[in-house]
Amino acid sequence: WYVCYYPQDKPKYVVASCIEQGGGGALVAGPIGAAVLGAILAYDKGELTEVKRVPGSSGKSVAVNFGNQARSD
């Protein structure tokens, strides 16, 4: 698992990623959490960014929620 937040001084966003049977958190869950946080920050600027499926994943438990807009694959 991996947890990140932004900004450092007054966090507005927190992202937690947990990859079942994914190995070490920094190697697998870290890049995923960073990609999701990057998509959130892009959304704040009015940009839509797709967070792609992780190779080898089942794709059954992906959910992203930006305020009142939710997406689930």
Side-chain angles (χ1 to χ4, degrees):
W1 60 271
Y2 178 82
V3 176
C4 56
Y5 58 91
Y6 183 85
Q8 182 178 355
D9 55 344
K10 280 181 113 178
K12 180 177 178 182
Y13 302 109
V14 176
V15 174
S17 53
C18 178
I19 312 305
E20 186 175 290
Q21 299 179 9
L27 296 175
V28 180
I32 295 168
V36 171
L37 184 58
I40 292 169
L41 296 176
Y43 182 81
D44 266 358
K45 296 177 184 176
E47 304 168 12
L48 293 179
T49 303
E50 182 179 355
V51 177
K52 300 191 184 294
R53 182 182 294 176
V54 177
S57 72
S58 66
K60 294 180 181 176
S61 59
V62 174
V64 178
N65 186 342
F66 295 117
N68 61 359
Q69 299 179 8
R71 176 182 151 219
S72 180
D73 293 332

